[in-house]
Amino acid sequence: MESKPLDSTTSLQIKYCRILCIFFMCMVHVPPGLDLIDNPPLYLDAIETVIGDVFGRASVAALSFISGFLIVYNFIANDWLTTIRKRFVALVVPMAFWNLAIIVVGLMILKVTGASTSVVEKLEGLKLYEIVLFRIFTIDYGGATESLNFLRDIFMCVVLSPVIIWLAKRLSWLLIPALLIVDSFISFQPLVMRGMILVFFSFGVVYSLKFDSLSQVNKLKIPALIGSLIVIALEFAFKYTELSSSQLYFYEIFKRVSIGTLAILCAYFLANTVKSGFIHSVDRSTYFLFLAHNVFFLVCWGAWQLLFSQSIEFPYVFFYLSLTVAWFVIGFYLRTILNFFPRPIQQLVTGKAYRNRS
């Protein structure tokens, strides 16, 4: 492939997009969730719908698109085996570490409070080697932390990327409907457990082969805004009427395209209006925030159960809305402490090694 530069605006836009998407992806996983509250008021229903059903799900699509966009640049700089090795260290190794960590935390909560969690329940009936393969390394998409299954799928997309790039060069945009048809009527399992991730990763690959920056996406402001409003209106219709998303063909792809594009556009706006150097420090912590958020959330939920039993009445609403913000602050400083640890520990915990401070 011919070398091509990644312009500074696109680079900053990607950083903002990662922060926005990971924030919502984390917020979706605050245990046990707003949907367990009995007869919630309308405003809580609205929050749960917008965060969980809309922005949380579409964030996965946006990050998959960006991963596909950037993999083309990775292959310009490295050969396939080098790229696979680097992505294995960056994706699979920390995924396994944090899957193991949350299992340990879940068992500790069970011992201290007597309360079981979904993490512990997933271990029932499994032998040790099955726990290692299925819960820690996520061979069958049954990882101890559901959100980290995303890393498993992205790694498999990277493994498949030479084929995706080869097809993208020959089919161009036709590759996307072809993959959607396969995902709708057959399956990409067991290679990729969530086909939409592969679809949007490939979308990013095709786009990257056509354009050097995200400037073309930035021209879709009006369609993305209209599409996002339609999606939010439909999500409320699904909740309060007998209408179902399964009745609307390709609604899920429409939702993810609309909201995912909106996330990229919001990142573009921030990249052109907020150019603080602090954002680069936050971006260096974003991946760690995603990797470790389930462990932090589970510890906090265990503490909540000690203090308030398993009540999810009004005080829990504050817990739900504030926990992700608190984690972004606490996690940012925890990540900076890793600068003082040996490089192997940094790679195990975050998938990358930072420069040690003397």
Side-chain angles (χ1 to χ4, degrees):
M1 294 183 189
E2 296 181 2
S3 178
K4 57 179 183 178
L6 182 63
D7 68 87
S8 58
T9 300
T10 295
S11 178
L12 185 59
Q13 184 177 359
I14 288 173
K15 291 177 180 179
Y16 271 113
C17 189
R18 276 197 292 251
I19 293 169
L20 289 172
C21 290
I22 287 177
F23 180 86
F24 284 110
M25 289 170 71
C26 289
M27 199 166 187
V28 167
H29 297 108
V30 175
L34 292 177
D35 54 335
L36 292 185
I37 297 178
D38 294 328
N39 301 315
L42 183 60
Y43 77 93
L44 281 187
D45 250 358
I47 291 173
E48 197 276 330
T49 297
V50 172
I51 291 176
D53 296 330
V54 180
F55 287 103
R57 296 183 185 278
S59 292
V60 173
L63 288 183
S64 299
F65 174 86
I66 287 174
S67 296
F69 176 79
L70 292 175
I71 199 64
V72 175
Y73 289 85
N74 292 147
F75 276 105
I76 290 173
N78 303 289
D79 58 50
W80 182 70
L81 288 177
T82 301
T83 300
I84 295 301
R85 177 180 60 80
K86 289 184 175 181
R87 293 298 90 192
F88 182 85
V89 172
L91 297 170
V92 178
V93 170
M95 177 196 74
F97 173 83
W98 288 105
N99 276 333
L100 176 60
I102 201 167
I103 288 173
V104 172
V105 170
L107 291 173
M108 290 175 62
I109 289 176
L110 178 63
K111 183 176 180 61
V112 173
T113 69
S116 183
T117 60
S118 60
V119 173
V120 174
E121 292 167 357
K122 286 183 177 181
L123 305 179
E124 294 178 359
L126 296 181
K127 298 177 180 178
L128 179 60
Y129 80 90
E130 292 174 321
I131 293 174
V132 173
L133 290 178
F134 303 141
R135 297 297 176 260
I136 295 177
F137 283 96
T138 322
I139 298 299
D140 70 338
Y141 193 60
T145 49
E146 181 182 350
S147 61
L148 298 191
N149 292 332
F150 172 69
L151 302 181
R152 184 259 189 216
D153 277 357
I154 287 294
F155 177 72
M156 290 307 302
C157 288
V158 173
V159 172
L160 296 170
S161 53
V163 176
I164 296 172
I165 292 173
W166 185 86
L167 290 172
K169 288 180 176 179
R170 284 152 183 80
L171 298 179
S172 188
W173 299 111
L174 292 176
L175 176 62
I176 308 307
L179 292 176
L180 281 171
I181 291 172
V182 173
D183 184 48
S184 298
F185 298 103
I186 308 176
S187 177
F188 288 114
Q189 296 184 17
L191 291 175
V192 177
M193 298 301 167
R194 283 190 289 180
M196 279 295 177
I197 291 177
L198 178 60
V199 170
F200 278 93
F201 182 92
S202 302
F203 199 167
V205 169
V206 175
Y207 180 93
S208 187
L209 292 173
K210 295 291 184 181
F211 308 107
D212 293 341
S213 72
L214 296 177
S215 59
Q216 299 302 312
V217 178
N218 303 331
K219 298 177 180 179
L220 301 176
K221 297 181 181 66
I222 301 302
L225 182 58
I226 294 174
S228 299
L229 292 174
I230 291 173
V231 167
I232 293 173
L234 285 173
E235 289 294 332
F236 279 102
F238 299 149
K239 186 175 287 288
Y240 296 111
T241 70
E242 295 182 358
L243 183 65
S244 170
S245 61
S246 61
Q247 297 173 296
L248 303 178
Y249 291 108
F250 295 110
Y251 168 72
E252 289 300 321
I253 186 71
F254 174 76
K255 174 168 74 174
R256 286 165 171 79
V257 168
S258 298
I259 306 295
T261 302
L262 183 64
I264 295 173
L265 291 172
C266 289
Y268 175 76
F269 171 79
L270 291 171
N272 284 276
T273 55
V274 185
K275 296 182 179 292
S276 170
F278 181 67
I279 195 64
H280 302 291
S281 297
V282 176
D283 179 66
R284 283 194 292 271
S285 301
T286 305
Y287 187 41
F288 170 75
L289 292 170
F290 174 68
L291 287 166
H293 78 276
N294 281 292
V295 172
F296 177 78
F297 287 1
L298 190 58
V299 169
C300 291
W301 176 235
W304 177 272
Q305 291 179 92
L306 282 175
L307 295 172
F308 302 102
S309 184
Q310 296 193 36
S311 172
I312 52 173
E313 300 303 323
F314 175 74
Y316 172 77
V317 176
F318 175 78
F319 174 85
Y320 179 91
L321 295 176
S322 64
L323 191 60
T324 304
V325 176
W327 169 235
F328 263 59
V329 176
I330 295 170
F332 172 79
Y333 288 104
L334 286 178
R335 209 289 300 160
T336 59
I337 293 173
L338 286 171
N339 289 336
F340 300 96
F341 282 74
R343 291 170 64 87
I345 294 179
Q346 293 176 3
Q347 288 189 314
L348 181 65
V349 175
T350 68
K352 64 174 67 175
Y354 304 93
R355 182 178 301 173
N356 290 87
R357 297 178 181 177
S358 57

